[in-house]
Amino acid sequence: MKEDPILVQAERELGRRSLADFTRLAWRHFESAPLVWGEHLRVLSEFCEDLLSCKIQRAVSNLPPGTGKSNVTGVTFPAFAWIDNPRLMFMYVSFDRDQLAKKSAMLIDLVRSDWYEARWGRKIAPGQISEIKFDTLQGGGRYSTTIDGKGTGNHCDIQIGDDLIKPLKAQNPTGVELAATWRQWQGTFASRHRDLPTFRRMINMQRLAEEDPSGMAKAAGWEVLRLPMRFEADNADPRDWRTVDGELLFPEKFPEEILDKMIADGDILEEDWETQYQQRPTRKGGTIFLESWIETHACSISDLGSFVGRDLQSWDLTFKGKESSDFVAGQYWG
């Protein structure tokens, strides 16, 4: 069926105008689930556009799971970027091989669709097309690999780490997995650029621990977009449009009753709520002792001998043995 040329022209111009508009138009051409739009997707889209234009070159996005961030950063972002610059090469890195393949297949379906080609022309080169790597006609493309996989021999303009570490591994108390992941990201993959002055990198994940890749990148000065599920006025991102403490990020998909049920059913654990949903690697008041637990009581020295209470020990250990490492700290509380 022939499309209305006026509609084609209108969508051609609208889709080129912004990533948010492009995502709204393109969604049904790669995703079977209907689009549920939230304001956070507009903010994330503008963040990606700042990366595309080199306004920022080192970026971190921290959004809760299930909010559509990987479809934007992994599917519509490169398809949108190729409209005006199909020479761009993207590299995607993750711990999850299946997720990489899924988003790559979605991107292939979108860019090879009749809808996309009618508006912005053919982009993908003929020949071998795989979920690992494919090229555009102009020398761009997408390459996907796991964080412990092959990076040598492949170079890119924009590199996106989408969930670089498995949450369970990030919770290892020794921090070995976290350190290894950051070393790989900043070692093997930091050198996989085509042109260093314009090389752009983005980490896209939920917070998992203090020294997860997000935390390490933030400490290194990367630009961070943090959007927790419930708004925190005392620690708000300047791009967050919300003004009321506790206001939800995505009520269109996660209203109060849905979140309450997920928490009541155990689908969201307390520690996961703090880290993955609130983007806070440690809960407010501390990880081991909450401030609200501590009480002050007046008593005389003679009363202490008969005082019946609770003895507590707290140990903060270091394993690196470097001069810059913190000391081992032990506390005995009574």
Side-chain angles (χ1 to χ4, degrees):
M1 181 177 176
K2 190 174 181 180
E3 290 191 277
D4 182 348
I6 296 177
L7 174 63
V8 172
Q9 181 61 28
E11 290 191 348
R12 180 182 295 133
E13 296 305 317
L14 182 62
R16 176 180 271 119
R17 188 173 69 180
S18 74
L19 176 55
D21 288 330
F22 177 81
T23 299
R24 285 176 178 270
L25 292 170
W27 190 274
R28 65 187 180 89
H29 298 282
F30 69 89
E31 176 61 83
S32 58
L35 172 63
V36 180
W37 187 261
E39 183 67 7
H40 67 287
L41 293 176
R42 178 193 62 79
V43 174
L44 177 60
S45 296
E46 292 177 355
F47 194 59
C48 290
E49 288 184 69
D50 285 344
L51 191 73
L52 181 62
S53 67
C54 286
K55 184 177 179 180
I56 53 177
Q57 290 185 247
R58 300 293 183 271
V60 177
S61 67
N62 295 143
L63 280 77
T67 53
K69 62 187 181 304
S70 292
N71 275 356
V72 172
T73 59
V75 183
T76 61
F77 181 32
F80 170 77
W82 288 335
I83 291 176
D84 290 327
N85 190 1
R87 296 181 299 278
L88 285 173
M89 174 61 75
F90 287 79
M91 179 182 289
Y92 285 83
V93 186
S94 176
F95 82 85
D96 191 339
R97 189 185 306 275
D98 292 340
Q99 186 73 357
L100 284 171
K102 180 180 179 181
K103 298 307 173 186
S104 182
M106 286 179 166
L107 177 57
I108 293 170
D109 288 345
L110 172 58
V111 179
R112 297 183 75 188
S113 68
D114 293 339
W115 174 82
Y116 187 95
E117 290 190 359
R119 285 148 183 79
W120 301 288
R122 181 169 295 177
K123 303 295 182 184
I124 297 182
Q128 186 174 0
I129 300 172
S130 76
E131 295 165 353
I132 300 297
K133 185 177 181 180
F134 61 88
D135 301 319
T136 65
L137 290 164
Q138 293 78 10
R142 169 176 170 142
Y143 174 72
S144 303
T145 185
T146 56
I147 186 65
D148 56 353
K150 182 182 176 183
T152 306
N154 294 280
H155 298 80
C156 62
D157 302 294
I158 298 177
Q159 186 180 76
I160 296 180
D162 192 8
D163 292 333
L164 290 175
I165 185 169
K166 193 173 184 177
L168 284 177
K169 288 187 176 182
Q171 295 168 8
N172 186 326
T174 67
V176 171
E177 296 285 355
L178 289 172
T181 299
W182 182 246
R183 186 167 56 248
Q184 185 77 346
W185 176 250
Q186 287 297 84
T188 300
F189 291 102
S191 63
R192 300 297 94 202
H193 51 77
R194 278 175 158 181
D195 177 59
L196 183 56
T198 59
F199 185 38
R200 284 143 284 177
R201 309 183 77 199
M202 183 178 189
I203 295 173
N204 181 38
M205 63 181 292
Q206 296 99 37
R207 291 307 307 269
L208 301 171
E210 285 283 2
E211 295 186 348
D212 65 15
S214 291
M216 298 298 287
K218 181 180 179 181
W222 291 34
E223 182 79 13
V224 178
L225 171 65
R226 175 184 177 268
L227 298 176
M229 185 64 84
R230 292 191 188 278
F231 183 63
E232 295 179 345
D234 61 347
N235 189 27
D237 190 291
R239 287 156 292 221
D240 201 321
W241 65 97
R242 295 170 289 178
T243 58
V244 180
D245 207 44
E247 188 176 349
L248 293 178
L249 176 75
F250 197 8
E252 296 85 358
K253 184 176 180 180
F254 295 106
E256 290 282 1
E257 57 271 21
I258 294 295
L259 286 176
D260 289 344
K261 187 175 188 306
M262 291 173 69
I263 293 171
D265 292 347
D267 297 332
I268 303 177
L269 301 178
E270 182 181 356
E271 57 267 30
D272 293 338
W273 174 261
E274 297 289 338
T275 54
Q276 298 182 45
Y277 286 82
Q278 287 303 103
Q279 311 310 320
R280 194 188 310 116
T282 56
R283 66 184 61 159
K284 284 186 174 181
T287 304
I288 300 175
F289 298 117
L290 296 182
E291 186 176 351
S292 60
W293 295 351
I294 300 173
E295 299 177 355
T296 302
H297 298 274
C299 62
S300 66
I301 295 295
S302 59
D303 291 336
L304 290 177
S306 59
F307 180 76
V308 178
R310 178 176 295 174
D311 293 336
L312 298 173
Q313 292 188 46
S314 172
W315 291 90
D316 186 2
L317 307 177
T318 182
F319 294 90
K320 295 179 181 178
K322 298 180 180 178
E323 290 186 6
S324 59
S325 299
D326 292 333
F327 294 104
V328 172
Q331 300 178 35
Y332 185 90
W333 295 40

